[in-house]
Amino acid sequence: MAYILLAVLLLPYMVLQIQIGQAVLRTENLRVVTLCFFGQTLISWKSGKQRTVARSSTEAEYQALADGTAEVIWLLHLLTDLQILSASAPIIWCDNLGATYSSANPVFHARTKHVEVDYHFVRDRVAKKEIQIRFISSQDQLADVFTKPLPTSSFTAFCFKLRVDPPPLA
Amino acid sequence: MNVVSNRWVYKIKCRSDGSIERYKARLVARGFTKQEGIDYSETFSPVIKQATVRLVFSVAVSCGWKIHQLDIHNAFLNDILDEKVYMKQPQGFVDSALPSHLCRLHKSLYGLKQAPRAWYTRLNDFLLSIGFRASKVDTSLFIFSVGLDICYLLVYVDDILLTGSNSLLLQRLIQLLSSEFKLHDLGSVHYFLGIEVQSTSMGLMLFQHKYILDILTRAGMLSCKPIDTPISTSKATILLDPLFSDATRFRQIVGALKYLTFTRPDICFTVNRVC
């Protein structure tokens, strides 16, 4: 049995952070994951099969980025309703360099030809400085536990990072 | 004209530790005998989103606010019906002089198709009238702000969570609510939507201990040996267990597991895989 711990953070402003991850399984399509953290607390997560066909990992990651952006915008509206202001624009951590670069630089690459709609949607938000997109290496991102079966050691490590803790000794 | 039949429902209410709180008998209308357009029109009623609950918990914990849980007694019986609904006389209470007479319902009953919506509309109207503002992105979240103080109110049908920066303001809002509805202030939240909430020195801990035991009991796996990870890394999951020959039962358990992901993101992938 494990618990989720919601941590206390006494910072005046907590930054919304999103992690986007993906993994290819032998037998299935690509899986995409979106994790949203507020401060250190995981508040929203989604693991699912990819919704459309992608011809490259950059393309797939870019589609995931568009989904993640939509989720962030929803959470930003929610925070505005709660009258909580963030000190900086929310950060989306993406583990694919190609997708990270395409979100900032308006150059179409051969591998991103077919994602124009998602492309414009995300780029528009980045240009308006509503969100920031940064690169995170695959080792550091937390999405793996949502995309593939893991051996005990890494599973426990991920649970710890997601703040799913074992029960305290009663 | 369509006549709705009714039935008595008996239930044992349990506390979060599983002990018996009280026995309950309730008259319910058999809403499935109703016809759309005659007895009811709109039935959709919004509920709070999981992400909103977690976000508000997180904000409340960070700011050190107390989270009040309020329980409305017989919420669905409060609402005035717009439509004309006729019901047979309740079993055991049939007037012996006029056994063929019907009841015309003025107020809502449990089991009626429009009951949840009527209740939501009534609560919504009342909250707006006392100065709350409904959130645009989640219609079950209400915000009350005066000066620098702010209160959040989350509605899940008849379960209400209230938190805010000023405890005097919270008390006043609870008083206002109890002047309109018969409600019970359960104090700090400890059992909400089947989720147990415990406050510790580090924050709030959410867990579904009782819910997990219920699922295990239902699946007949209470005495199974525990394992460290939810899914094997080596071989593909083979679903040949006799438990899974019954599709309905399999879906019931998967559905139950999906709700468990509220506090267990670590099993999210595995649950998604068996769907």
Side-chain angles (χ1 to χ4, degrees):
Chain A
M1 205 177 314
Y3 302 160
I4 296 189
L5 202 60
L6 297 174
V8 181
L9 267 187
L10 294 168
L11 297 172
Y13 296 113
M14 292 190 277
V15 181
L16 200 60
Q17 297 194 53
I18 316 291
Q19 290 198 359
I20 306 278
Q22 53 144 335
V24 187
L25 293 170
R26 275 163 313 199
T27 49
E28 291 176 39
N29 274 345
L30 213 97
R31 260 174 195 281
V32 288
V33 182
T34 321
L35 304 177
C36 305
F37 290 86
F38 183 63
Q40 287 182 4
T41 310
L42 181 62
I43 51 168
S44 156
W45 55 84
K46 203 163 79 182
S47 163
K49 280 183 192 167
Q50 185 193 352
R51 12 169 222 125
T52 47
V53 181
R55 294 186 58 235
S56 71
S57 66
T58 300
E59 206 173 299
E61 194 84 28
Y62 211 89
Q63 286 164 353
L65 205 54
D67 288 347
T69 308
E71 182 76 18
V72 177
I73 291 165
W74 183 79
L75 283 168
L76 275 180
H77 284 304
L78 189 61
L79 284 175
T80 316
D81 272 348
L82 295 174
Q83 302 186 358
I84 295 165
L85 298 173
S86 185
S88 59
I91 305 162
I92 299 188
W93 298 97
C94 178
D95 66 351
N96 185 296
L97 266 178
T100 313
Y101 289 152
S102 334
S103 70
N105 186 358
V107 174
F108 275 101
H109 299 275
R111 289 186 189 282
T112 59
K113 262 183 193 166
H114 312 285
V115 287
E116 282 94 348
V117 177
D118 287 342
Y119 187 93
H120 292 309
F121 174 64
V122 179
R123 248 207 62 70
D124 200 34
R125 303 290 164 167
V126 173
K128 283 185 190 157
K129 299 204 166 35
E130 282 178 24
I131 54 168
Q132 312 173 46
I133 293 174
R134 294 195 197 155
F135 177 71
I136 188 171
S137 74
S138 299
Q139 286 91 38
D140 295 327
Q141 61 122 327
L142 294 172
D144 268 9
V145 74
F146 290 87
T147 55
K148 50 173 102 55
L150 292 173
T152 313
S153 56
S154 33
F155 182 77
T156 321
F158 275 113
C159 284
F160 180 72
K161 286 181 189 161
L162 291 172
R163 314 220 57 161
V164 176
D165 293 1
L169 292 171
Chain B
M1 191 181 77
N2 192 26
V3 179
V4 181
S5 54
N6 57 56
R7 180 152 289 183
W8 287 98
V9 171
Y10 307 100
K11 205 174 172 186
I12 302 167
K13 287 288 246 187
C14 293
R15 294 192 192 90
S16 61
D17 59 359
S19 62
I20 293 167
E21 191 186 332
R22 65 199 154 103
Y23 297 92
K24 198 168 178 177
R26 173 175 275 166
L27 182 72
V28 297
R30 301 173 82 204
F32 52 86
T33 56
K34 299 172 72 178
Q35 286 168 14
E36 187 173 353
I38 300 172
D39 301 311
Y40 64 93
S41 46
E42 290 285 342
T43 54
F44 178 77
S45 158
V47 290
I48 196 87
K49 293 178 178 66
Q50 292 190 5
T52 315
V53 177
R54 281 188 288 259
L55 185 61
V56 169
F57 273 4
S58 171
V59 171
V61 167
S62 308
C63 303
W65 298 343
K66 189 182 174 189
I67 306 171
H68 286 268
Q69 185 176 5
L70 310 175
D71 182 56
I72 308 244
H73 286 288
N74 300 329
F76 287 4
L77 307 181
N78 284 316
D79 326 313
I80 292 145
L81 284 178
D82 295 330
E83 295 93 345
K84 275 185 186 173
V85 180
Y86 296 93
M87 191 183 74
K88 287 180 188 153
Q89 295 183 45
Q91 289 167 21
F93 295 90
V94 180
D95 192 330
S96 51
L98 306 160
S100 61
H101 277 218
L102 294 171
C103 308
R104 154 98 196 269
L105 296 181
H106 292 291
K107 286 194 165 185
S108 172
L109 264 187
Y110 281 83
L112 289 183
K113 291 264 187 188
Q114 65 267 52
R117 189 182 173 88
W119 159 245
Y120 174 77
T121 317
R122 171 133 187 264
L123 184 64
N124 184 51
D125 291 347
F126 177 73
L127 289 174
L128 296 184
S129 75
I130 60 170
F132 273 93
R133 184 168 53 82
S135 163
K136 286 190 192 73
V137 290
D138 193 331
T139 43
S140 296
L141 168 69
F142 295 87
I143 301 123
F144 187 92
S145 62
V146 50
L148 286 170
D149 289 321
I150 188 156
C151 293
Y152 307 135
L153 189 137
L154 303 178
V155 179
Y156 193 95
V157 194
D158 58 349
D159 275 323
I160 292 177
L161 290 184
L162 185 65
T163 186
S165 53
N166 186 330
S167 54
L168 286 171
L169 183 64
L170 288 182
Q171 286 305 329
R172 228 187 67 217
L173 289 171
I174 293 171
Q175 269 174 18
L176 265 174
L177 277 165
S178 54
S179 66
E180 178 78 6
F181 306 105
K182 197 182 163 204
L183 64 79
H184 187 43
D185 184 1
L186 300 169
S188 284
V189 57
H190 64 276
Y191 191 57
F192 180 67
L193 308 179
I195 293 154
E196 292 145 74
V197 182
Q198 210 177 68
S199 69
T200 66
S201 56
M202 298 202 39
L204 279 183
M205 237 188 278
L206 309 181
F207 50 101
Q208 287 169 297
H209 181 196
K210 181 169 175 284
Y211 189 73
I212 293 174
L213 288 178
D214 285 347
I215 298 176
L216 286 175
T217 316
R218 211 186 322 164
M221 296 173 90
L222 209 51
S223 54
C224 284
K225 210 175 91 202
I227 47 162
D228 293 328
T229 59
I231 192 165
S232 157
T233 49
S234 51
K235 54 180 182 275
T237 325
I238 306 162
L239 305 175
L240 285 178
D241 198 281
L243 172 71
F244 303 117
S245 56
D246 182 352
T248 314
R249 190 149 174 236
F250 179 73
R251 286 176 195 139
Q252 278 170 356
I253 291 169
V254 170
L257 287 172
K258 278 192 95 138
Y259 186 60
L260 184 57
T261 58
F262 194 108
T263 61
R264 296 295 302 268
D266 54 324
I267 62 160
C268 197
F269 167 73
T270 316
V271 174
N272 197 290
R273 190 77 180 272
V274 295
C275 281

